[in-house]
Amino acid sequence: MRILLNTLLFLAITNLYAQNSITGTVVDTNTKQGLVYANVYFTEIEKGTATDENGFFSLENIPSGQYKVLVSILGYETKSVNVNIPNTTNLEIALTPSAIEMEAVIVSTPFHKLQSENVMKVEHETMQNLKAKGAINLSDGITNIAGVESVTTGLSIGKPVIRGLSSNRVLVYAQGVRLENQQFGDEHGLGLSDSGIESVEVIKGPASLLYGSDALGGVLYLNPEKFAQSNTSNADFSGNYFSNTQGFNTNAGYKSSDEHYKFLFRGSLTEHADYQTNDYRVTNTRFREQDFKAGLGYQKNSFKTEFRYNVNNSKLGIPEDIGEQSTNKTPLLPFQNITNHLFSSKSTVFFKNSRLDINLGYIYNDRKEFEEHHHHEEDEHEEEEHEHDEHEEEALEAALHMKLKTANYDIKYNLPKLGKFETIVGVQGMNQINTNYGEEQLIPDATTNDIGVLATSHIHFEKVDVQLGARFDNRSLDVATGLQKDFNSFNGALGFKTNIANNITARVNFASGFRAPNLAELTSDGSHEGTNRYEIGNPNLDNEQNFQSDVALEFKNDHVEFFVNGFYNKINNYIYLSPDGTEIDGDPVFVYLQNDANLYGGEVGLHIHPHPLDWLHIESSFETVTGKQANDDYLPLIPANSLTNILRVEFEKPWFKKGYAFIKLTTTFNQNNISAFETSTDGYNLLSAGLGGSFKLFNNEASITISGTNLTDKTYINHLSRLKPDGIFNMGRNITIGLTYNL
């Protein structure tokens, strides 16, 4: 650690290379006219600007080295250009008109390429687009991404599901660091606000090469909002109203940058009452969330660094049955009170043709659960006399109180490009301490230590791109009960991307991943509230180890886009719960066992944008996944097959810019492929619609969105709802109205 700190200090104070400037113009390929307000962005140094009315741009204080410049503007294909500074001082970049949405750089993969250049297929969606489709919160929004669903407990608690895998089999990254918040628990959600999140990326399939243990099923990567461009500042505030829950969220932010320093901050508040179905309100699905984010960045010479902080406090009701019918927003017992602190720093030192990236993180998760206490020894008179005081005490003392403190690091060195090879080597690690303070204990006190080393290369051949890599990991567990465990795993990945015909791109990827057993699976010994079962852990569990093959074909021309993705995922030593035929205190005993499992399926999609009707978009997608154990028993929590059809139009008026309107029909099919402890669910259709755009208000830009979900007020139950066993419906009709104002 001392060596690392000394290295960081040395990098921070050393001026290695002279600064440079670059100028250029961005023009239309056909007319050669300059494009105004085109974005020019250096991805590695995270520095950019916009073109003026003649398409001209200039950037100063660029360190020497090789960089990728991303040029984008609405209505044109995004283009990436490689430049060598100081050899390149002036650029002319020609963009081709296109009805396709602007491409973005994929940050969750190590080489930071455009999706069209990436060997691995990664889904990317902006948070703005997800909210425009009526998403109430982050966990609801990600379900609009193909291959991604959410295990939910009402509206407030949601866990990402990627191609049928969830909980500790899916990693979540926020602010560039691994998020740890006791995600093993059924009622432990993301604990993140969508406020201040710019975009979402999803790696579907094993990503242990890049992220280590627990990335066996994939990665949900949340990109924070960027700092302001150099020598600019801006502020904004927004508000949304949700008719179904009579809820709202508000947020406000400000950011400013000069040539060397940059900062931002953003705060938000969200409150919802119990959600309404066609027949009733679902008692205690109400919640309140407060969120604050701040960031500070510095760049000079060949060193840049940024520090970000996020604190999120959520008070979440835990629904049990249908009871009180009200629109109160204060949760009833039982409820959770969770405070999550996330500190992160990201630093880069630029050498002439290489760079060193150092990401550090610290997550402090403080989780409390409050519930009714039962006092059997008090007589009826005493109980009635002290009823008020007892409830006061219950509100102060948590029955369950856990603190999880996680420090992690991710250090990667991007070697100088050698011919056709781009190569990265790195080391990642984590130290985690879990401590109990309440009278109840789900898992014992424990310390976890991870360390992993990796190497990966991207090779550019004339007709094919190849990406390959290997990694070794060690995880050690030291549990307060005396249990000590070590888990090791070696993993690799190999992928190919090529154009097999005109406008047709093929990707083939093979990857392995692993997951070490979590503390609940190893050490549980007690009744699990809400499930009426007594769970006993198994200290002899082995790693889950998987291997996935993934094939993706994509066709694009001026009028049509079509894609088909297929995967086969084999998991050895899949961990699951099974009854052993005995009872303890009247509850059936469930034990953790292992068996091999297989998951397979994929996604198919079509996007038509006929020329010259470039304003018209017809989109359709279908997704399916099947999960089975080796004995042919189905796996639990596998999402039902679904089909989504969208008709979308875009329009521009002198007084209304970036206008859009859409109508969407989502068809979810019957799910009868269920595990022994699940119930099947019927299919249903959900109709959604919305419109929005921006306009001038007091000489500043304002944006408005209006969207409706479940417009027919359909009564239905999603297969991944944890309220399904009680026959409780999902949310009915909801109208969302949002307004954002930029200062």
Side-chain angles (χ1 to χ4, degrees):
M1 182 58 72
R2 178 181 293 179
I3 293 174
L4 176 62
L5 292 174
N6 288 340
T7 301
L8 286 172
L9 181 61
F10 171 76
L11 296 177
I13 64 176
T14 303
N15 299 331
L16 294 176
Y17 295 99
Q19 298 301 286
N20 310 280
S21 61
I22 187 171
T23 60
T25 54
V26 180
V27 301
D28 183 295
T29 298
N30 300 321
T31 66
K32 303 302 180 184
Q33 295 295 312
L35 297 176
V36 60
Y37 299 138
N39 294 307
V40 181
Y41 190 70
F42 279 69
T43 59
E44 288 92 348
I45 61 177
E46 298 180 335
K47 187 168 186 163
T49 187
T51 57
D52 63 15
E53 62 273 11
N54 299 312
F56 177 81
F57 70 89
S58 66
L59 275 168
E60 298 180 348
N61 296 313
I62 307 295
S64 300
Q66 295 180 351
Y67 302 104
K68 184 185 296 294
V69 180
L70 191 70
V71 186
S72 61
I73 186 174
L74 191 64
Y76 289 81
E77 288 184 10
T78 300
K79 191 170 186 177
S80 65
V81 180
N82 294 316
V83 299
N84 193 325
I85 305 295
N87 297 340
T88 305
T89 58
N90 188 268
L91 288 171
E92 180 175 305
I93 303 167
L95 299 185
T96 304
S98 172
I100 302 170
E101 287 81 0
M102 292 187 299
E103 268 194 283
V105 169
I106 301 301
V107 179
S108 55
T109 53
F111 297 99
H112 292 188
K113 297 183 179 298
L114 292 173
Q115 177 64 296
S116 58
E117 304 168 330
N118 225 30
V119 173
M120 184 186 299
K121 177 73 173 178
V122 178
E123 301 292 343
H124 178 278
E125 188 66 83
T126 66
M127 200 64 227
Q128 181 180 10
N129 285 345
L130 296 179
K131 294 178 78 171
K133 295 173 182 177
I136 288 184
N137 51 26
L138 180 60
S139 62
D140 181 38
I142 61 175
T143 63
N144 288 282
I145 300 172
V148 183
E149 295 293 337
S150 187
V151 177
T152 62
T153 306
L155 291 179
S156 60
I157 301 172
K159 304 171 73 68
V161 179
I162 299 177
R163 287 178 168 173
L165 297 176
S166 59
S167 296
N168 278 90
R169 298 181 178 98
V170 171
L171 267 187
V172 177
Y173 259 64
Q175 295 178 193
V177 299
R178 171 180 177 145
L179 182 70
E180 290 288 319
N181 64 354
Q182 306 283 14
Q183 59 263 38
F184 71 88
D186 289 343
E187 292 178 343
H188 300 173
L190 282 172
L192 294 170
S193 167
D194 58 49
S195 172
I197 293 178
E198 185 168 290
S199 61
V200 178
E201 295 176 14
V202 180
I203 299 176
K204 294 183 288 190
S208 290
L209 169 67
L210 305 178
Y211 297 106
S213 178
D214 299 358
L216 176 140
V219 175
L220 178 66
Y221 198 100
L222 308 173
N223 292 310
E225 66 176 305
K226 293 184 178 71
F227 289 98
Q229 293 183 352
S230 297
N231 301 310
T232 65
S233 62
N234 61 276
D236 66 85
F237 63 87
S238 66
N240 292 274
Y241 174 76
F242 306 90
S243 66
N244 185 283
T245 62
Q246 298 185 20
F248 68 88
N249 68 37
T250 60
N251 87 67
Y254 178 78
K255 53 187 176 182
S256 181
S257 300
D258 62 20
E259 283 297 332
H260 302 299
Y261 291 95
K262 46 193 175 183
F263 74 91
L264 60 80
F265 62 83
R266 182 168 300 278
S268 69
L269 172 65
T270 302
E271 285 193 350
H272 288 274
D274 298 337
Y275 75 78
Q276 173 83 44
T277 72
N278 186 272
D279 296 331
Y280 47 76
R281 288 194 178 273
V282 181
T283 308
N284 212 25
T285 53
R286 62 196 73 174
F287 66 98
R288 186 176 196 266
E289 180 183 59
Q290 301 170 87
D291 188 86
F292 177 77
K293 293 181 172 74
L296 176 66
Y298 173 76
Q299 180 174 339
K300 189 172 183 181
N301 300 316
S302 295
F303 175 75
K304 77 176 181 71
T305 187
E306 69 177 55
F307 173 82
R308 292 182 187 254
Y309 170 65
N310 174 214
V311 57
N312 181 281
N313 176 258
S314 301
K315 192 173 183 180
L316 315 170
I318 300 176
E320 294 182 316
D321 49 35
I322 304 302
E324 171 191 294
Q325 297 289 289
S326 76
T327 55
N328 294 331
K329 296 184 173 68
T330 301
L332 306 168
L333 294 171
F335 68 86
Q336 296 179 5
N337 193 331
I338 305 165
T339 303
N340 197 65
H341 300 269
L342 174 57
F343 303 84
S344 66
S345 74
K346 184 170 70 172
S347 302
T348 302
V349 60
F350 297 94
F351 303 101
K352 189 170 184 179
N353 292 308
S354 63
R355 74 177 192 270
L356 181 67
D357 296 321
I358 303 170
N359 289 0
L360 305 174
Y362 180 76
I363 302 96
Y364 172 34
N365 182 259
D366 189 356
R367 179 178 297 275
K368 299 177 182 178
E369 186 171 310
F370 299 85
E371 60 188 43
E372 294 280 0
H373 292 278
H374 303 284
H375 305 277
H376 300 292
E377 298 181 1
E378 289 189 276
D379 62 36
E380 187 175 333
H381 174 72
E382 291 174 325
E383 196 167 324
E384 188 174 319
E385 184 178 348
H386 298 292
E387 183 180 12
H388 177 75
D389 293 335
E390 288 167 354
H391 281 282
E392 289 276 335
E393 183 180 351
E394 287 168 356
L396 295 174
E397 294 182 7
L400 177 72
H401 187 188
M402 297 187 293
K403 293 184 180 181
L404 188 70
K405 301 174 183 178
T406 306
N408 51 45
Y409 59 88
D410 180 356
I411 302 172
K412 292 190 179 78
Y413 179 57
N414 295 255
L415 279 68
K417 189 174 181 180
L418 183 62
K420 302 177 184 296
F421 285 77
E422 292 180 73
T423 301
I424 295 173
V425 295
V427 58
Q428 296 172 332
M430 176 181 78
N431 170 262
Q432 185 175 90
I433 300 172
N434 179 73
T435 311
N436 286 275
Y437 295 89
E439 62 185 65
E440 294 183 9
Q441 189 168 303
L442 282 181
I443 56 174
D445 296 352
T447 301
T448 304
N449 285 291
D450 282 359
I451 187 168
V453 292
L454 69 108
T456 181
S457 291
H458 188 121
I459 312 167
H460 307 267
F461 294 107
E462 184 176 347
K463 294 185 177 180
V464 64
D465 279 61
V466 179
Q467 189 171 318
L468 72 166
R471 177 187 179 114
F472 176 78
D473 281 275
N474 169 263
R475 168 169 287 187
S476 63
L477 284 172
D478 187 357
V479 187
T481 58
L483 178 68
Q484 292 185 323
K485 299 286 290 185
D486 270 279
F487 301 95
N488 299 302
S489 186
F490 181 83
N491 292 281
L494 174 64
F496 305 89
K497 180 185 78 75
T498 186
N499 294 323
I500 59 176
N502 190 31
N503 297 327
I504 300 178
T505 301
R507 292 178 172 88
V508 180
N509 283 274
F510 306 96
S512 65
F514 85 105
R515 181 179 75 90
N518 62 46
L519 284 172
E521 294 162 341
L522 292 167
T523 64
S524 289
D525 188 11
S527 294
H528 193 284
E529 299 297 331
T531 60
N532 298 318
R533 65 187 180 217
Y534 193 100
E535 296 182 5
I536 298 179
N538 182 353
N540 298 314
L541 294 173
D542 294 325
N543 280 341
E544 290 184 339
Q545 190 78 43
N546 77 326
F547 180 81
Q548 177 169 305
S549 54
D550 193 294
V551 178
L553 292 174
E554 185 177 277
F555 170 82
K556 278 188 180 183
N557 65 16
D558 292 339
H559 313 289
V560 176
E561 297 173 70
F562 174 77
F563 71 86
V564 55
N565 306 325
F567 74 94
Y568 185 85
N569 189 359
K570 178 175 176 55
I571 305 177
N572 294 326
N573 296 319
Y574 184 91
I575 300 171
Y576 65 99
L577 272 172
S578 179
D580 70 356
T582 66
E583 290 188 356
I584 296 179
D585 297 331
D587 290 331
V589 173
F590 279 66
V591 295
Y592 283 95
L593 302 176
Q594 291 188 296
N595 193 4
D596 295 345
N598 301 289
L599 295 99
Y600 51 90
E603 305 89 33
V604 180
L606 175 68
H607 180 186
I608 302 173
H609 38 85
H611 185 75
L613 305 178
D614 294 335
W615 49 268
L616 176 64
H617 298 262
I618 303 169
E619 303 172 43
S620 183
S621 64
F622 173 77
E623 55 189 86
T624 179
V625 59
T626 300
K628 285 186 174 183
Q629 295 185 42
N631 60 9
D632 271 348
D633 287 346
Y634 286 103
L635 298 178
L637 296 177
I638 300 297
N641 297 344
S642 65
L643 173 67
T644 301
N645 293 289
I646 302 174
L647 177 66
R648 180 165 55 92
V649 297
E650 298 170 347
F651 55 91
E652 292 273 341
K653 299 291 183 183
W655 50 272
F656 199 69
K657 303 295 184 182
K658 304 173 188 175
Y660 70 88
F662 74 89
I663 183 168
K664 178 172 75 170
L665 178 65
T666 301
T667 301
T668 301
F669 298 94
N670 297 340
Q671 180 55 295
N672 298 315
N673 299 334
I674 56 175
S675 73
F677 316 112
E678 284 187 301
T679 55
S680 60
T681 46
D682 295 330
Y684 51 88
N685 294 292
L686 297 180
L687 182 67
S688 305
L691 58 89
S694 62
F695 56 94
K696 286 289 185 180
L697 182 63
F698 305 121
N699 294 322
N700 291 306
E701 184 182 58
S703 301
I704 188 169
T705 60
I706 302 173
S707 62
T709 56
N710 192 6
L711 290 174
T712 61
D713 209 17
K714 175 74 175 177
T715 54
Y716 72 100
I717 299 177
N718 187 287
H719 188 70
L720 300 186
S721 170
R722 293 193 64 253
L723 305 181
K724 176 168 66 82
D726 296 317
I728 297 175
F729 297 133
N730 284 76
M731 189 170 73
R733 181 189 299 116
N734 177 62
I735 307 297
T736 301
I737 301 174
L739 176 67
T740 300
Y741 189 64
N742 296 289
L743 298 175

